[in-house]
Amino acid sequence: MAQPDPRKDRDPRIHVTVDQLRRLAHGARALSLLPRQPASSILNGRHGSRLRGRGLNFEELRGYLPGDDIRTIDWKVTARTGEPHVRVYTEERDRPALLVIDQRMSMFFGSQVYMKSVVAAEAAAIVAHRILDQGDRIGGLVFGETIIAEHPPQRRALALNQLVNSIAQANNLLHPTQAVPAKPIHLNTLLQRTVRNVKTNTLVALFSDFEGLNDESEKYLRKLALANDLIVFNVFDPASRGLPASLRLAISDGTQQADLDASDPAVRARINTALVNRLDILHAWSRKYGFPVVPLETDKPALDQMLALFGHRGRK
Protein backbone atom coordinates (compact mmCIF):
# COMPACT_ATOMS: atom_id res chain seq x y z
CA MET A 1 0.00 0.00 0.00
CA ALA A 2 1.40 3.37 -1.01
CA GLN A 3 2.27 5.74 1.81
CA PRO A 4 0.63 9.22 1.76
CA ASP A 5 2.81 12.05 0.55
CA PRO A 6 3.68 14.09 3.68
CA ARG A 7 4.07 17.23 1.56
CA LYS A 8 0.31 17.33 0.98
CA ASP A 9 -0.22 18.00 4.69
CA ARG A 10 2.40 20.72 4.99
CA ASP A 11 1.33 24.25 5.72
CA PRO A 12 2.54 26.43 2.78
CA ARG A 13 3.05 29.31 5.21
CA ILE A 14 5.69 27.29 7.06
CA HIS A 15 7.30 25.13 4.38
CA VAL A 16 7.28 25.38 0.59
CA THR A 17 7.01 22.68 -2.03
CA VAL A 18 8.55 22.61 -5.50
CA ASP A 19 5.07 22.84 -7.05
CA GLN A 20 4.29 25.87 -4.90
CA LEU A 21 7.38 27.65 -6.22
CA ARG A 22 6.71 26.64 -9.82
CA ARG A 23 3.16 28.03 -9.71
CA LEU A 24 4.61 31.52 -9.18
CA ALA A 25 5.81 31.61 -12.80
CA HIS A 26 2.59 33.16 -14.12
CA GLY A 27 2.53 36.04 -11.64
CA ALA A 28 6.23 36.70 -12.21
CA ARG A 29 5.57 37.71 -15.83
CA ALA A 30 4.11 41.03 -14.65
CA LEU A 31 7.46 42.07 -13.15
CA SER A 32 10.46 43.59 -14.91
CA LEU A 33 14.09 43.31 -13.90
CA LEU A 34 15.33 45.34 -16.87
CA PRO A 35 16.68 48.92 -16.65
CA ARG A 36 13.38 50.44 -17.83
CA GLN A 37 11.13 50.40 -14.75
CA PRO A 38 7.65 51.75 -13.97
CA ALA A 39 7.81 55.21 -12.38
CA SER A 40 6.67 53.87 -9.01
CA SER A 41 9.02 50.86 -8.99
CA ILE A 42 11.43 50.57 -6.10
CA LEU A 43 14.09 49.79 -8.72
CA ASN A 44 13.51 53.09 -10.50
CA GLY A 45 16.46 55.48 -10.45
CA ARG A 46 14.83 57.94 -8.10
CA HIS A 47 14.49 55.24 -5.44
CA GLY A 48 17.99 53.84 -5.66
CA SER A 49 20.55 52.90 -8.26
CA ARG A 50 19.36 52.31 -11.80
CA LEU A 51 19.88 48.83 -13.13
CA ARG A 52 22.61 48.86 -15.71
CA GLY A 53 21.17 45.91 -17.59
CA ARG A 54 23.03 43.94 -20.21
CA GLY A 55 26.47 45.06 -21.30
CA LEU A 56 27.70 45.89 -24.79
CA ASN A 57 29.85 43.81 -27.10
CA PHE A 58 32.12 45.43 -29.67
CA GLU A 59 30.80 44.50 -33.11
CA GLU A 60 32.83 46.35 -35.73
CA LEU A 61 34.73 49.46 -36.75
CA ARG A 62 33.33 51.27 -39.79
CA GLY A 63 33.30 54.61 -41.53
CA TYR A 64 31.19 57.42 -40.11
CA LEU A 65 27.70 57.82 -41.59
CA PRO A 66 25.36 60.82 -41.29
CA GLY A 67 23.29 60.42 -38.15
CA ASP A 68 25.89 58.41 -36.20
CA ASP A 69 26.40 59.50 -32.59
CA ILE A 70 29.65 61.48 -32.46
CA ARG A 71 30.36 59.89 -29.08
CA THR A 72 31.03 56.61 -30.90
CA ILE A 73 33.83 58.08 -33.03
CA ASP A 74 37.16 56.30 -32.56
CA TRP A 75 39.49 59.27 -32.59
CA LYS A 76 42.71 57.23 -32.79
CA VAL A 77 41.58 55.39 -35.92
CA THR A 78 40.19 58.63 -37.35
CA ALA A 79 43.54 60.39 -36.86
CA ARG A 80 45.48 57.46 -38.31
CA THR A 81 43.35 57.05 -41.46
CA GLY A 82 42.30 60.65 -41.98
CA GLU A 83 38.67 59.52 -42.27
CA PRO A 84 36.12 59.50 -39.40
CA HIS A 85 35.43 56.03 -38.05
CA VAL A 86 32.96 54.87 -35.40
CA ARG A 87 32.91 51.87 -33.08
CA VAL A 88 29.70 49.83 -33.33
CA TYR A 89 28.42 47.91 -30.30
CA THR A 90 25.56 45.48 -29.88
CA GLU A 91 23.78 44.65 -26.66
CA GLU A 92 24.70 41.34 -25.08
CA ARG A 93 22.13 38.69 -25.88
CA ASP A 94 21.86 37.72 -22.25
CA ARG A 95 23.50 38.35 -18.92
CA PRO A 96 24.10 36.15 -15.88
CA ALA A 97 22.00 36.46 -12.76
CA LEU A 98 22.94 34.95 -9.41
CA LEU A 99 20.31 34.60 -6.68
CA VAL A 100 21.52 34.10 -3.12
CA ILE A 101 18.85 32.59 -0.89
CA ASP A 102 19.24 32.46 2.89
CA GLN A 103 17.53 29.47 4.51
CA ARG A 104 19.34 29.47 7.84
CA MET A 105 17.53 28.93 11.14
CA SER A 106 17.20 32.68 11.75
CA MET A 107 14.84 32.70 8.76
CA PHE A 108 12.56 30.12 10.38
CA PHE A 109 10.51 32.72 12.20
CA GLY A 110 7.27 34.59 11.63
CA SER A 111 4.97 36.32 14.09
CA GLN A 112 2.35 37.05 11.41
CA VAL A 113 1.26 34.83 8.49
CA TYR A 114 4.42 33.42 6.89
CA MET A 115 7.86 32.33 7.96
CA LYS A 116 10.66 34.58 6.72
CA SER A 117 12.13 31.49 5.05
CA VAL A 118 8.94 31.01 3.01
CA VAL A 119 8.81 34.66 1.89
CA ALA A 120 12.47 34.48 0.82
CA ALA A 121 11.93 31.19 -1.03
CA GLU A 122 8.89 32.47 -2.91
CA ALA A 123 10.47 35.84 -3.74
CA ALA A 124 13.57 34.11 -5.09
CA ALA A 125 11.44 31.77 -7.21
CA ILE A 126 9.52 34.75 -8.62
CA VAL A 127 12.74 36.51 -9.60
CA ALA A 128 14.20 33.30 -11.04
CA HIS A 129 11.13 32.72 -13.25
CA ARG A 130 11.25 36.31 -14.51
CA ILE A 131 14.97 36.28 -15.26
CA LEU A 132 14.78 33.16 -17.41
CA ASP A 133 11.63 34.45 -19.10
CA GLN A 134 13.38 37.68 -20.17
CA GLY A 135 16.17 35.66 -21.78
CA ASP A 136 18.93 35.89 -19.19
CA ARG A 137 20.95 33.17 -17.50
CA ILE A 138 19.83 32.04 -14.06
CA GLY A 139 21.97 30.60 -11.27
CA GLY A 140 22.07 30.69 -7.51
CA LEU A 141 23.53 29.90 -4.13
CA VAL A 142 21.20 28.38 -1.55
CA PHE A 143 22.41 28.51 2.05
CA GLY A 144 21.20 26.49 5.02
CA GLU A 145 22.82 26.00 8.40
CA THR A 146 25.36 23.58 6.97
CA ILE A 147 24.58 23.19 3.26
CA ILE A 148 25.46 25.33 0.29
CA ALA A 149 23.96 24.41 -3.06
CA GLU A 150 25.72 26.08 -5.99
CA HIS A 151 24.13 26.54 -9.42
CA PRO A 152 26.18 28.34 -12.10
CA PRO A 153 24.11 30.67 -14.31
CA GLN A 154 22.62 28.93 -17.34
CA ARG A 155 19.97 29.85 -19.87
CA ARG A 156 17.98 26.63 -19.59
CA ALA A 157 14.72 25.61 -17.98
CA LEU A 158 16.62 22.78 -16.33
CA ALA A 159 18.76 25.33 -14.47
CA LEU A 160 15.62 26.97 -13.09
CA ASN A 161 14.19 23.62 -12.02
CA GLN A 162 17.41 22.65 -10.25
CA LEU A 163 17.53 25.96 -8.40
CA VAL A 164 13.88 25.71 -7.32
CA ASN A 165 14.48 22.15 -6.10
CA SER A 166 17.44 23.31 -3.99
CA ILE A 167 15.41 26.14 -2.49
CA ALA A 168 12.57 23.80 -1.52
CA GLN A 169 15.00 21.22 -0.13
CA ALA A 170 16.79 23.75 2.08
CA ASN A 171 13.47 25.23 3.21
CA ASN A 172 12.10 21.86 4.25
CA LEU A 173 15.15 21.09 6.36
CA LEU A 174 14.13 23.91 8.71
CA HIS A 175 12.34 22.59 11.77
CA PRO A 176 11.71 23.79 15.34
CA THR A 177 13.72 20.89 16.74
CA GLN A 178 16.60 21.28 14.29
CA ALA A 179 19.83 21.49 16.28
CA VAL A 180 22.10 24.39 15.41
CA PRO A 181 25.51 22.97 14.42
CA ALA A 182 28.67 23.90 16.32
CA LYS A 183 29.82 26.04 13.38
CA PRO A 184 26.75 27.27 11.50
CA ILE A 185 27.19 29.23 8.28
CA HIS A 186 27.62 32.91 9.05
CA LEU A 187 26.19 35.71 6.91
CA ASN A 188 29.72 36.78 5.93
CA THR A 189 30.45 33.26 4.69
CA LEU A 190 27.40 33.63 2.47
CA LEU A 191 28.55 37.03 1.18
CA GLN A 192 32.17 35.95 0.71
CA ARG A 193 31.07 32.89 -1.26
CA THR A 194 28.91 35.13 -3.43
CA VAL A 195 31.80 37.48 -4.20
CA ARG A 196 33.93 34.51 -5.19
CA ASN A 197 31.27 33.05 -7.51
CA VAL A 198 30.02 36.17 -9.23
CA LYS A 199 31.48 37.75 -12.35
CA THR A 200 31.27 41.40 -13.34
CA ASN A 201 28.07 42.83 -14.83
CA THR A 202 25.92 40.20 -13.14
CA LEU A 203 22.52 40.76 -11.61
CA VAL A 204 22.98 39.70 -7.97
CA ALA A 205 19.89 39.33 -5.79
CA LEU A 206 20.26 38.59 -2.07
CA PHE A 207 17.27 37.22 -0.11
CA SER A 208 17.95 37.27 3.63
CA ASP A 209 17.05 38.73 7.01
CA PHE A 210 20.75 39.68 7.30
CA GLU A 211 21.16 38.12 10.72
CA GLY A 212 24.85 38.47 11.59
CA LEU A 213 25.41 41.73 9.69
CA ASN A 214 28.59 43.43 10.92
CA ASP A 215 31.42 45.69 9.78
CA GLU A 216 33.01 42.90 7.71
CA SER A 217 29.79 42.53 5.73
CA GLU A 218 30.25 46.00 4.26
CA LYS A 219 33.30 45.11 2.20
CA TYR A 220 31.50 42.21 0.53
CA LEU A 221 28.38 44.24 -0.28
CA ARG A 222 30.59 47.04 -1.60
CA LYS A 223 32.44 44.66 -3.95
CA LEU A 224 29.18 43.21 -5.21
CA ALA A 225 27.59 46.62 -5.78
CA LEU A 226 30.55 48.24 -7.55
CA ALA A 227 30.92 45.63 -10.29
CA ASN A 228 27.35 44.36 -10.63
CA ASP A 229 23.67 45.21 -10.32
CA LEU A 230 23.01 44.33 -6.69
CA ILE A 231 19.46 44.08 -5.34
CA VAL A 232 18.98 43.34 -1.64
CA PHE A 233 15.68 41.74 -0.64
CA ASN A 234 15.46 42.34 3.10
CA VAL A 235 13.02 39.84 4.57
CA PHE A 236 11.77 40.88 7.99
CA ASP A 237 8.97 40.31 10.44
CA PRO A 238 6.78 43.27 11.50
CA ALA A 239 7.94 42.55 15.04
CA SER A 240 11.29 44.05 14.04
CA ARG A 241 9.61 47.47 14.09
CA GLY A 242 9.03 47.00 17.78
CA LEU A 243 8.12 44.00 19.87
CA PRO A 244 4.66 44.28 21.42
CA ALA A 245 4.66 44.05 25.21
CA SER A 246 2.16 41.19 24.98
CA LEU A 247 4.54 38.97 22.96
CA ARG A 248 5.55 35.67 24.53
CA LEU A 249 7.85 33.33 22.63
CA ALA A 250 9.57 30.03 23.26
CA ILE A 251 12.93 30.05 21.46
CA SER A 252 14.90 26.87 20.85
CA ASP A 253 18.18 25.94 19.15
CA GLY A 254 17.09 22.31 18.93
CA THR A 255 18.65 21.28 22.23
CA GLN A 256 17.84 24.06 24.66
CA GLN A 257 14.78 26.28 25.06
CA ALA A 258 14.35 29.76 26.45
CA ASP A 259 11.21 31.78 27.04
CA LEU A 260 11.12 35.37 25.82
CA ASP A 261 8.83 37.71 27.71
CA ALA A 262 8.55 41.06 25.91
CA SER A 263 6.65 42.58 28.82
CA ASP A 264 10.04 43.23 30.43
CA PRO A 265 10.98 46.74 29.20
CA ALA A 266 14.71 46.03 29.40
CA VAL A 267 14.44 42.85 27.30
CA ARG A 268 12.19 44.57 24.77
CA ALA A 269 14.53 47.57 24.47
CA ARG A 270 17.63 45.41 23.85
CA ILE A 271 15.94 43.35 21.13
CA ASN A 272 14.36 46.36 19.45
CA THR A 273 17.68 48.21 19.41
CA ALA A 274 19.46 45.24 17.80
CA LEU A 275 16.81 44.87 15.09
CA VAL A 276 16.63 48.59 14.29
CA ASN A 277 20.41 48.95 14.18
CA ARG A 278 20.68 46.16 11.62
CA LEU A 279 18.14 47.83 9.34
CA ASP A 280 19.76 51.26 9.76
CA ILE A 281 23.18 49.90 8.83
CA LEU A 282 21.84 48.11 5.76
CA HIS A 283 20.05 51.24 4.52
CA ALA A 284 23.14 53.37 5.16
CA TRP A 285 25.22 51.08 2.96
CA SER A 286 22.43 51.12 0.39
CA ARG A 287 22.75 54.89 0.09
CA LYS A 288 26.55 54.77 0.16
CA TYR A 289 27.00 52.18 -2.57
CA GLY A 290 23.85 52.75 -4.59
CA PHE A 291 22.04 49.42 -4.35
CA PRO A 292 18.28 49.23 -3.72
CA VAL A 293 16.83 47.50 -0.66
CA VAL A 294 13.51 45.77 -1.33
CA PRO A 295 11.58 45.23 1.94
CA LEU A 296 9.53 42.04 2.20
CA GLU A 297 7.38 41.35 5.26
CA THR A 298 5.90 38.14 6.63
CA ASP A 299 2.30 39.35 6.75
CA LYS A 300 1.51 39.21 3.00
CA PRO A 301 2.23 36.84 0.08
CA ALA A 302 5.59 37.53 -1.56
CA LEU A 303 4.04 37.96 -5.02
CA ASP A 304 1.53 40.60 -3.87
CA GLN A 305 4.28 42.58 -2.18
CA MET A 306 6.61 42.43 -5.16
CA LEU A 307 3.93 43.49 -7.63
CA ALA A 308 3.25 46.56 -5.49
CA LEU A 309 6.93 47.37 -4.91
CA PHE A 310 7.78 47.00 -8.60
CA GLY A 311 5.07 49.46 -9.62
CA HIS A 312 2.15 47.16 -10.43
CA ARG A 313 -1.29 47.53 -8.88
CA GLY A 314 -1.97 43.86 -8.39
CA ARG A 315 -2.18 40.45 -9.95
CA LYS A 316 -2.98 40.25 -13.64
Side-chain angles (χ1 to χ4, degrees):
M1 181 176 178
Q3 295 296 319
D5 186 348
R7 291 175 297 180
K8 293 181 180 178
D9 299 323
R10 288 183 179 171
D11 190 330
R13 299 169 299 179
I14 298 175
H15 290 107
V16 301
T17 65
V18 172
D19 287 342
Q20 180 179 338
L21 299 181
R22 287 174 177 165
R23 286 196 297 269
L24 294 166
H26 178 72
R29 296 193 186 105
L31 303 177
S32 172
L33 293 170
L34 297 172
R36 186 179 295 276
Q37 290 285 313
S40 58
S41 171
I42 197 168
L43 300 186
N44 188 280
R46 64 188 179 89
H47 293 288
S49 174
R50 287 188 182 275
L51 295 178
R52 285 168 284 194
R54 299 183 179 96
L56 297 175
N57 289 323
F58 173 70
E59 186 74 14
E60 64 174 336
L61 191 68
R62 62 165 173 77
Y64 177 85
L65 296 174
D68 284 341
D69 190 335
I70 60 172
R71 291 174 297 182
T72 63
I73 293 178
D74 189 315
W75 295 105
K76 290 183 178 179
V77 175
T78 297
R80 188 168 64 248
T81 62
E83 297 289 338
H85 283 74
V86 296
R87 298 177 69 86
V88 178
Y89 294 88
T90 56
E91 187 181 50
E92 291 177 334
R93 287 177 297 175
D94 58 20
R95 70 182 304 210
L98 190 75
L99 310 189
V100 184
I101 304 99
D102 187 351
Q103 294 289 293
R104 297 174 298 159
M105 272 300 293
S106 68
M107 299 287 288
F108 195 62
F109 175 80
S111 69
Q112 301 293 316
V113 181
Y114 300 93
M115 292 294 195
K116 290 188 289 184
S117 52
V118 169
V119 174
E122 291 193 340
I126 291 165
V127 172
H129 285 299
R130 190 65 190 98
I131 286 172
L132 189 65
D133 192 51
Q134 70 188 26
D136 290 330
R137 286 170 278 158
I138 183 65
L141 299 174
V142 184
F143 289 78
E145 284 297 327
T146 58
I147 63 167
I148 303 175
E150 296 189 9
H151 299 276
Q154 300 179 62
R155 190 181 173 185
R156 297 193 300 164
L158 178 60
L160 174 62
N161 290 334
Q162 291 173 338
L163 178 59
V164 166
N165 285 335
S166 290
I167 294 172
Q169 180 183 6
N171 179 268
N172 281 273
L173 288 176
L174 296 172
H175 194 272
T177 60
Q178 179 182 353
V180 177
K183 292 184 178 181
I185 293 176
H186 191 273
L187 175 68
N188 288 334
T189 302
L190 180 156
L191 296 175
Q192 185 181 39
R193 192 73 165 258
T194 304
V195 170
R196 191 162 66 239
N197 278 268
V198 76
K199 297 180 180 179
T200 58
N201 194 36
T202 297
L203 174 63
V204 181
L206 302 180
F207 302 83
S208 177
D209 63 354
F210 293 90
E211 168 66 32
L213 194 74
N214 58 27
D215 291 341
E216 184 184 354
S217 311
E218 181 179 6
K219 70 177 182 181
Y220 298 124
L221 290 173
R222 177 179 59 82
K223 288 181 180 178
L224 291 171
L226 291 179
N228 306 280
D229 279 338
L230 173 64
I231 306 175
V232 168
F233 290 84
N234 178 37
V235 184
F236 66 98
D237 191 88
S240 64
R241 294 198 182 100
L243 294 177
S246 60
L247 183 64
R248 306 288 189 276
L249 289 176
I251 303 173
S252 173
D253 65 359
T255 57
Q256 302 182 52
Q257 179 171 307
D259 294 324
L260 185 152
D261 184 356
S263 64
D264 185 332
V267 172
R268 194 165 66 249
R270 285 197 300 270
I271 295 175
N272 286 341
T273 298
L275 293 172
V276 170
N277 285 347
R278 186 195 307 167
L279 291 174
D280 287 346
I281 291 171
L282 188 60
H283 283 282
W285 293 345
S286 164
R287 293 187 296 269
K288 186 176 181 180
Y289 301 116
F291 59 83
V293 175
V294 180
L296 296 174
E297 302 187 42
T298 59
D299 59 350
K300 302 181 189 71
L303 180 58
D304 290 349
Q305 295 185 69
M306 292 177 70
L307 287 172
L309 288 166
F310 283 54
H312 300 271
R313 293 182 180 179
R315 294 176 189 250
K316 300 294 183 181

